[in-house]
Each structure stands twice: as C-alpha cells, then as structure tokens.
Amino acid sequence: QVQLVESGGGSVQPGGSLTLTCTGSGFDFDISPMSWLRQAPGDSLKWVAGTSSGGTPPRYTESVKGRFTISRDNAKSTVYLQMTDLRPEDTATYFCARTFQGIPAARRDWGQGTQVTVAS
C-alpha cells in the first residue's frame, strides 16, 4: 500500500525559511519520481517542484525558482523541500507526490499534507 507522509510545516514570517520532509513506503522509492504540490485555501491543487529518479535535473514552477530546493535521499525513502525567502502567497497545504511534473491521476499518489503559513 502506497503511503506518503509529510511533515515539517509551520508558521513563519515573510522572508523566513522552512524545510518540509516526506517519507514514502509501499513502493520502490528509488525508481519513483517525486514532487511537491500545494493547495491554498479556495484554490486548486498545483504542482510546485519535482525530482526525477535518474539524471534529469529538478524542476520548479516559476514562482518558486531560486527560493525552493527539492532533494531526495533514497536510502531513507525521503524527499525534502527546502523553502527560503517565504512569501504570504506561499501559504498552503503542501503535499508530496509520486510524479515528476504535474498532478498524479490517483489520489493515493499524494499524501495528506502539511500546513505552511507565511504571515507577519
């Protein structure tokens, strides 16, 4: 059974930093592309960043380029999202997902999420 568990969310001031963590199980993490999605209140689910299982460089949505870094540790079946220079518009529930780019077709392919709030 595929399981994805996010953690590390919290409240920070604009300009602050936060690192999210996602651990996966029930699938071959080593060969699975992974990504981060987010959903702000009243908005749709959107793709944020993705990391491949091979040599393809990570990809990011334009609004987070230069500020967010996605990385993975296959030995720990874990993917991270390092966020810096956070802005109020980054406020959302963040999910990790089993895709490189875009939204997975199946709900089981993303987790329950962790909340990130950026405010003064």
Side-chain angles (χ1 to χ4, degrees), residues 3-6 22-24 27 34 96-98 109-112:
Q3 290 188 320
L4 297 165
V5 182
E6 302 92 340
C22 171
T23 56
F27 63 99
M34 297 295 295
C96 64
R98 299 208 302 148
D109 287 333
W110 71 88
Q112 296 303 302

Side-chain angles (χ1 to χ4, degrees), residues 44-62:
S44 59
L45 186 64
K46 297 181 178 179
W47 175 87
V48 176
T51 178
S52 76
S53 59
T56 305
R59 294 179 182 174
Y60 304 89
T61 192
E62 191 67 28

Side-chain angles (χ1 to χ4, degrees), residues 39-115:
Q39 185 170 33
D43 204 358
S44 59
L45 186 64
K46 297 181 178 179
W47 175 87
V48 176
T51 178
S52 76
S53 59
T56 305
R59 294 179 182 174
Y60 304 89
T61 192
E62 191 67 28
S63 64
V64 309
K65 285 183 178 178
R67 300 189 298 120
F68 290 12
T69 301
I70 187 171
S71 61
R72 64 192 297 159
D73 185 341
N74 289 342
K76 297 180 179 179
S77 295
T78 298
V79 61
Y80 306 92
L81 185 67
Q82 299 177 83
M83 306 182 292
T84 62
D85 191 24
L86 284 161
R87 304 164 181 172
E89 53 264 42
D90 294 319
T91 294
T93 300
Y94 284 70
F95 307 86
C96 64
R98 299 208 302 148
T99 186
F100 180 46
Q101 188 167 351
I103 310 299
R107 178 62 184 84
R108 73 172 187 176
D109 287 333
W110 71 88
Q112 296 303 302
T114 186
Q115 178 66 36

